[in-house]
Amino acid sequence: MEFFRIKKDIPFMRHSLVFNAISFATFLLAVFFIATRGLHLSVEFTGGTLVEVTYAEAQQLEPIRAALAADGNTDILVQHFGSARDVLIRLPNRDDIDSNGIADRVMATLNKMGAPAPELRRVEFVGPQVGKELASDGAMALLLVIIGIVIYLALRFEWRLGVATIIANLHDIVIILGFFAFFQWEFSLAVLAATLAVLGYSVNESVVIFDRVRETFRKKRGYTTEQVVDHAITSTISRTIITHGSTQIMVLSMLIFGGETLFYFALALTIGICFGIYSSVLVASPLAIWLGMKREQFVKPKQEKEEAVV
């Protein structure tokens, strides 16, 4: 399926140095903001108090958030738990009050909202040690995903393509973290899941392009490596627009209509999709060329083929 077909190849690789210079500058800015401002971690990582309440009928979350915020609470996470009648509230720990005291304050605020009054189901304390374990587990998951991607691409194509792809994908992850550090958006487990999803999503685009590169090497014998890459990118532009456009429509629906619970998850995906297209097309391909990608790595010379037959 294609929206359109471009007959003349677009010379992307002619401007590869400019594209990579822009990427490098953006990467350095992201690293700078991460190092100087840091991430605004949610209570899953820093520790906090979890309060679960239930109502006699379904409740909207926005009035609850507004009431808790008006009572002086910050960094609140309010979401439905199981059904629209059950509400889960997470708040950061405080030095001047324990978890039971925080729960009492929450219940007092909710009771002031008017009927129906909620019923307290449970109160849990999440210590900072648990948060550190979640952070280390998340970092380990990210590392394992990276190793798996490199191995997969090295086996399917060639190690140079695996290295180029993972560098481009790490570029996407660091930029997502840079945005969250600069604007001090809350970094939660949902955002971590979005960054892992972006890794796999960007790899898919790189696989499509490199598969077309391998096919073009076999069909276009007179093309240089740069011309092969230009042809591969140009011939997949229509597919890229269809795939990423349809995905972004679904992510935008979560961003606009998903409420506070899904907002930062969808925001991280939006940033990852936009930069993922850029890196997969205009960063990974030049890196593969600079690492020494050649026709001989994909197509066996005729002499070797004849010897193999004999």
Side-chain angles (χ1 to χ4, degrees):
M1 180 179 177
E2 289 182 327
F3 275 149
F4 54 84
R5 179 172 294 180
I6 302 175
K7 295 182 179 181
K8 186 177 180 180
D9 293 340
I10 302 173
F12 291 103
M13 293 303 101
R14 183 185 301 171
H15 309 288
S16 60
L17 190 59
V18 175
F19 294 139
N20 278 268
I22 295 172
S23 298
F24 187 66
T26 310
F27 179 85
L28 288 181
L29 277 175
V31 171
F32 173 77
F33 291 132
I34 294 171
T36 57
R37 298 175 66 89
L39 294 173
H40 178 203
L41 298 175
S42 67
V43 293
E44 290 113 332
F45 297 109
T46 60
T49 298
L50 184 150
V51 180
E52 182 185 345
V53 298
T54 185
Y55 287 85
E57 53 189 51
Q59 291 293 311
Q60 296 293 325
L61 299 181
E62 288 303 326
I64 298 176
R65 289 194 191 99
L68 291 171
D71 198 35
N73 297 291
T74 58
D75 296 335
I76 315 163
L77 176 63
V78 182
Q79 62 189 54
H80 286 302
F81 184 75
S83 70
R85 296 189 300 109
D86 300 317
V87 178
L88 193 66
I89 303 169
R90 294 177 186 266
L91 302 101
N93 292 323
R94 295 174 53 173
D95 296 332
D96 58 339
I97 186 171
D98 60 10
S99 294
N100 291 327
I102 292 175
D104 292 339
R105 286 191 58 179
V106 168
M107 293 304 297
T109 302
L110 297 181
N111 287 327
K112 287 189 297 184
M113 293 177 61
E119 176 189 347
L120 180 64
R121 297 290 295 271
R122 65 185 169 112
V123 178
E124 291 184 4
F125 170 75
V126 180
Q129 183 61 35
V130 176
K132 291 179 181 178
E133 291 177 2
L134 286 173
S136 61
D137 290 344
M140 180 58 67
L142 184 63
L143 179 61
L144 291 176
V145 169
I146 291 171
I147 294 173
I149 289 172
V150 171
I151 294 174
Y152 167 73
L153 291 174
L155 292 176
R156 175 161 181 176
F157 297 106
E158 213 267 339
W159 70 265
R160 293 172 180 83
L161 303 188
V163 172
T165 299
I166 207 61
I167 291 175
N169 289 351
L170 286 176
H171 159 274
D172 302 337
I173 299 303
V174 171
I175 287 178
I176 292 175
L177 298 180
F179 269 97
F180 274 78
F182 178 74
F183 293 104
Q184 286 296 288
W185 295 328
E186 186 179 65
F187 189 87
S188 63
L189 285 176
V191 177
L192 176 61
T195 59
L196 293 174
V198 167
L199 265 178
Y201 191 79
S202 298
V203 166
N204 176 64
E205 183 67 24
S206 298
V207 167
V208 170
I209 292 175
F210 287 144
D211 192 56
R212 188 60 61 91
V213 166
R214 179 171 58 184
E215 177 185 335
T216 306
F217 267 131
R218 293 171 178 171
K219 291 183 177 180
K220 307 289 185 179
R221 297 279 180 171
Y223 278 22
T224 64
T225 301
E226 288 76 10
Q227 289 174 326
V228 166
V229 173
D230 288 338
H231 178 78
I233 296 174
T234 303
S235 60
T236 56
I237 284 179
S238 179
R239 177 260 175 205
T240 298
I241 293 174
I242 294 172
T243 303
H244 293 284
S246 58
T247 304
Q248 189 56 49
I249 289 172
M250 298 302 297
V251 173
L252 279 177
S253 66
M254 289 192 292
L255 186 68
I256 298 171
F257 304 110
E260 186 176 340
T261 304
L262 292 176
F263 181 79
Y264 290 116
F265 171 78
L267 186 61
L269 284 177
T270 299
I271 297 170
I273 290 173
C274 294
F275 280 93
I277 298 172
Y278 178 83
S279 66
S280 298
V281 175
L282 302 175
V283 176
S285 298
L287 284 176
I289 294 175
W290 295 341
L291 287 172
M293 181 177 66
K294 297 179 181 179
R295 182 186 306 275
E296 291 76 15
Q297 295 156 2
F298 299 91
V299 182
K300 290 184 178 180
K302 292 184 178 180
Q303 186 175 356
E304 290 186 13
K305 290 183 178 181
E306 294 174 358
E307 291 177 357
V309 172
V310 175

